[in-house]
Amino acid sequence: MKKLLLIAMLVFSTIMFGYSASLYEDGRTYKITILHTNDHHGHFWTSRHGEYGFAAQKTLIDRIRNEVSLDGGYTLVLSGGDINTGVPESDLQDAEPDFKAMSMIGYDAMVLGNHEFDKPNEVLAKQKEWAKFPFLAANIIKKSNGQPLYTPYITYSFDGLRVAIMGLTTGDTPKLVTPTNVEKLRIQDPIETAKKLLPKLKQKAGLIIALTHMGYYDYGLYGSNAPGDVTLAQEVEGIDVIIGGHSHTKLSAVDIQGDTVIAQAGDWGKNVGRLDLEFLDGELTVKNYKVIPVNKKKKIKKDGKKVRVFIEKEIPQDPMLATFLFEYQDKGSEELKQVIGAVNADFIGERKIVRSQETNLGNLIAKTQRLKVGADLAVMNSGGIRTSLKQGDITYKDVLKVQPFSNTICMVTLSGAELKQYLEIAANKSAGSGAFAQFDNAEIVMKGDKLEKAKVGGMMVQDSGKYKLAINSFAAAGGDGYMKVTNHPTFVDSGYIDADILKEFIQMNSPLNAAQYAPTNDVTRK
């Protein structure tokens, strides 16, 4: 049995366990540093404000590797998955720049995320060729022969200390991706998979790491989601470290569940998590943990104006990788100019109109988001709609001008009583403000500032009913004064970018008939 010792504060912890001495050298202190990222979602290039990007990440990781090596330590660089889906320049090129950049950085392993199945299996196979590191997925099995789709686990030896890393992907994967992309696969319960695999790993390694794409949910309250890292740690004995992804959670300090250390670094490559460990005679000590921002910026007032400044000292871009990635960024930008469809009339997103009344573009966007995640209704804040779609041919660039913020689409399951409260808040958003709400598949009657009744799909909302609401990540987090739902037990972030959803809908339904999205007076006021 393992014994956990807390040193000073929770972050500095020691984990005791009784492994065979053959799995490490007695009396030797091993220093292991795990660098980790997760949920990159296509952000291989810098943001429009010069933040993050793989070129700066490489500089940071190279520096830390060198520092650790000079101190006699060893480094692992791990990804919690979801490299795909999010930035058009990456999406249009099947994330080729992303996987090749990760190879140049020297990632040691990646767990498959659910968004790795957004495209056909042929694309994933191609990405595996680009990646010079293993894809881990212990619980993803081929139906045809019962064999793992990719490597279940890998082992490393650091001068005698043997380390095992297994990959576990969320059980929600089949319902989060296009069904045809996983129809030949069986996504097994990751927790049951880990229980079966642990005895074998204990014979092979002194240090066991679970590289997961399962999500971090406080206190193990995962709601309608599949179980995440906390539940994994609580139910599976023998995992020493969990490096996670999927929920886009930035843990500023490690979470310790029993004898297991859990870490996750946010998303988009905004941060690199650094977990410094020491291993001596079966005793694992967390010496330090830090989530390092990669050229993230904040706004400050300077000379009466708001300007963006680096949160920490700027990290230079690796010049070779920056040059390599620029060609992909340039090519992707050119592809954005290609026509993706057409509309037969203007879809209105002009600021002074869409922020004051229901419009056909507001209805279109809300509908596409509802359909994409299979929700019952959708609410869209009008401030997220920045311009109109003009009659005629539409390019991807046109779509990005309408929705430039790269918000992801989220879903939360609310009781009828909760939904009424949410709709009352949304319907009270002032005309003329960015908070002004656009609705899909909902009918609302307001008496003054109070909700009198509400319908979803033509049926009266019942207090005891359950309703799936689609909203963007900005509103979900409480932006524009909307009810915050990110802490609701049923909350899930799909990872799908709003502009990509609109683009896909236009492609599949072109030419769009504006009359089908005409205002229907979703909100009646007495």
Side-chain angles (χ1 to χ4, degrees), residues 93-94 121-131 150:
Q93 300 175 82
D94 291 334
N121 285 250
E122 294 76 13
V123 174
L124 182 59
K126 184 168 57 175
Q127 292 173 336
K128 180 64 186 73
E129 292 300 313
W130 292 330
Y150 288 113

Side-chain angles (χ1 to χ4, degrees), residues 268 405-410 471-479 486 491 493:
W268 295 10
F405 300 119
S406 294
N407 286 313
T408 54
I409 303 309
C410 306
I471 47 176
N472 64 36
S473 52
F474 171 77
T486 52
F491 174 80
D493 188 327

Side-chain angles (χ1 to χ4, degrees), residues 128-148:
K128 180 64 186 73
E129 292 300 313
W130 292 330
K132 305 305 178 186
F133 49 87
F135 286 0
L136 303 182
N139 64 312
I140 302 180
I141 307 300
K142 298 177 185 176
K143 289 181 179 178
S144 60
N145 57 15
Q147 296 299 307

Side-chain angles (χ1 to χ4, degrees), residues 439-492:
F439 300 90
D440 178 62
N441 209 34
E443 301 170 58
I444 299 166
V445 177
M446 297 291 292
K447 188 171 184 179
D449 61 356
K450 300 297 181 182
L451 185 142
E452 186 172 89
K453 63 180 179 179
K455 291 182 179 180
V456 171
M459 303 293 290
M460 199 72 71
V461 174
Q462 302 296 321
D463 285 354
S464 59
K466 298 293 183 183
Y467 303 89
K468 295 178 179 179
L469 170 67
I471 47 176
N472 64 36
S473 52
F474 171 77
D480 273 341
Y482 279 81
M483 182 191 298
K484 181 179 178 181
V485 295
T486 52
N487 55 356
H488 195 283
T490 66
F491 174 80
V492 61

